[in-house]
Amino acid sequence: MAAECDADPIEGLRQMFVDEVQRGRLARGQCPARRPVFLRLHGVAHGRLEVRDGLPDALRVGLFAEARSFPAWVRFSSDIPDQASERRSTVGLGIKLFEVPGRKLLPPDEDAPTADLILQNHDVFFVDDAKDMCAFTRASLSGKGEAWLDDHPVTRQILADMEKDVASVLGIDFHSVIALGFGEGQACKLTLQPAVPITGPASDDPDALATDLSDRLCKDEVRFRLLVQVSATLPTDRLTVRWTNAEAPRQHVATLILPRQDVTARGQATYGENLAFNPWHITAPHEPQGSIAAARRVVYQASADVRRDANGVPRAEPAQ
């Protein structure tokens, strides 16, 4: 029986994304099994996240407690099917950090040496909370999405704003969207900002972003600045509300460095596709906030389990 969005929106979302969408695609012959969302892969790159030395005490929290370097793998993707044009799509970024000390919040991998950060190229989400996310998803899957959007103009506008022309995934800002804890009584949002913006027209080539990523990393190192906004008062369960720079100034806490590499090297993309990302796979100082975060904990883990089981991939986090 389908869970009611008012009574149990998280179970409703799990049923729709995992049981209906993901298992439905498997039943229709999808092989290998893939993610239900952000399934268009542009590329997977290795690198490192370097926490800045000399941060003020107020910013030395969790991952940023001391100057150090975390090895990282980064997955670039879009929330569109393979056959769709990459123009006017939403780009996602998953970062898997290694050598991260401390217990993580997501069982059964509490003692794994990894941690995850998940971002997208728009700074607000299109609904406030899990209840609205469930209602919108159910309406969309039943062919009533337009009618739902007519009653929710804020969501309609944000969805339109999320459809961006992107010339390069290496030249755009990415945002955590959900808030993470930042020590006692505070929360934060993250922005990943390219050190050198890349401009130019977006291409209609269905593989343009993957080709651009490969070409640029074959030639040069690429850097992003990781910025943090910290607040004790801005909303954490109204994700359509923008955290402005005036209310919570962005502060540079770390740098993501992607060295020159061949992202088409044998096995690299497969390795990245076998990784699972979950915002709850992180230490307690950065506990995700709000009902969308709570939904992602359940849905992302269930989806990863289905995908890895179907593909014969171990569920465990990589050790190195």
Side-chain angles (χ1 to χ4, degrees):
M1 180 180 295
E4 293 295 329
C5 289
D6 285 341
D8 194 348
I10 293 177
E11 174 58 16
L13 286 165
R14 189 206 62 77
Q15 289 176 357
M16 286 182 282
F17 280 105
V18 179
D19 295 344
E20 295 182 38
V21 174
Q22 189 175 28
R23 292 187 187 276
R25 290 171 179 167
L26 289 175
R28 293 189 294 273
Q30 184 187 73
C31 185
R34 301 172 71 186
R35 292 164 170 83
V37 295
F38 287 96
L39 67 165
R40 171 76 73 85
L41 179 68
H42 304 310
V44 176
H46 61 78
R48 64 191 186 276
L49 183 73
E50 294 190 347
V51 179
R52 297 183 70 193
D53 193 10
L55 290 176
D57 289 345
L59 296 180
R60 296 178 63 183
V61 174
L63 291 172
F64 317 111
E66 60 183 45
R68 59 166 300 163
S69 180
F70 297 106
W73 281 88
V74 183
R75 179 182 185 267
F76 296 90
S77 61
S78 282
D79 194 20
I80 51 175
D82 287 337
Q83 64 271 21
S85 169
E86 291 178 343
R87 298 196 66 173
R88 315 295 293 175
S89 68
T90 302
V91 180
L93 184 72
I95 303 175
K96 178 78 67 179
L97 300 176
F98 289 75
E99 301 176 11
V100 180
R103 285 179 66 82
K104 313 310 183 297
L105 296 171
L106 188 69
D109 296 306
E110 300 100 320
D111 296 319
T114 51
D116 298 341
L117 299 174
I118 300 173
L119 306 96
Q120 67 176 41
N121 69 326
H122 196 66
D123 61 344
V124 295
F125 201 54
F126 58 88
V127 292
D128 276 328
D129 52 35
K131 187 179 293 186
D132 279 354
M133 179 69 175
C134 182
F136 170 73
T137 305
R138 179 149 290 156
S140 299
L141 292 177
S142 61
K144 300 175 182 178
E146 284 299 313
W148 196 91
L149 291 174
D150 287 342
D151 294 331
H152 297 80
V154 171
T155 293
R156 183 185 288 279
Q157 183 59 56
I158 293 173
L159 286 172
D161 294 340
M162 289 171 67
E163 294 182 352
K164 302 175 186 291
D165 275 341
V166 175
S168 172
V169 298
L170 298 175
I172 55 176
D173 291 357
F174 292 93
H175 309 271
S176 62
V177 181
I178 65 170
L180 303 174
F182 203 76
E184 187 68 28
Q186 295 190 122
C188 75
K189 290 193 177 184
L190 304 176
T191 296
L192 200 64
Q193 187 177 79
V196 179
I198 297 169
T199 59
S203 171
D204 287 323
D205 184 332
D207 296 319
L209 294 181
T211 300
D212 175 88
L213 173 66
S214 174
D215 289 348
R216 291 184 190 276
L217 283 180
C218 271
K219 298 173 184 174
D220 294 298
E221 171 188 278
V222 172
R223 294 186 173 220
F224 288 86
R225 300 191 308 154
L226 183 63
L227 313 174
V228 63
Q229 291 175 283
V230 181
S231 175
T233 59
L234 290 173
T236 59
D237 205 29
R238 294 173 56 207
L239 297 192
T240 64
V241 177
R242 179 170 284 110
W243 284 26
T244 68
N245 201 49
E247 295 170 303
R250 291 184 174 90
Q251 302 174 82
H252 183 194
V253 292
T255 301
L256 178 65
I257 302 169
L258 304 179
R260 288 180 57 188
Q261 61 192 278
D262 179 8
V263 298
T264 67
R266 182 178 180 180
Q268 184 152 319
T270 300
Y271 176 80
E273 285 297 76
N274 286 339
L275 294 174
F277 300 91
N278 193 306
W280 290 82
H281 187 59
I282 202 161
T283 54
H286 300 305
E287 180 174 341
Q289 308 290 301
S291 62
I292 291 290
R296 287 183 174 183
R297 175 178 185 148
V298 172
V299 176
Y300 283 20
Q301 187 168 38
S303 169
D305 287 347
V306 168
R307 176 168 54 86
R308 286 170 154 181
D309 287 349
N311 293 337
V313 174
R315 290 188 179 187
E317 283 289 294
Q320 61 185 22

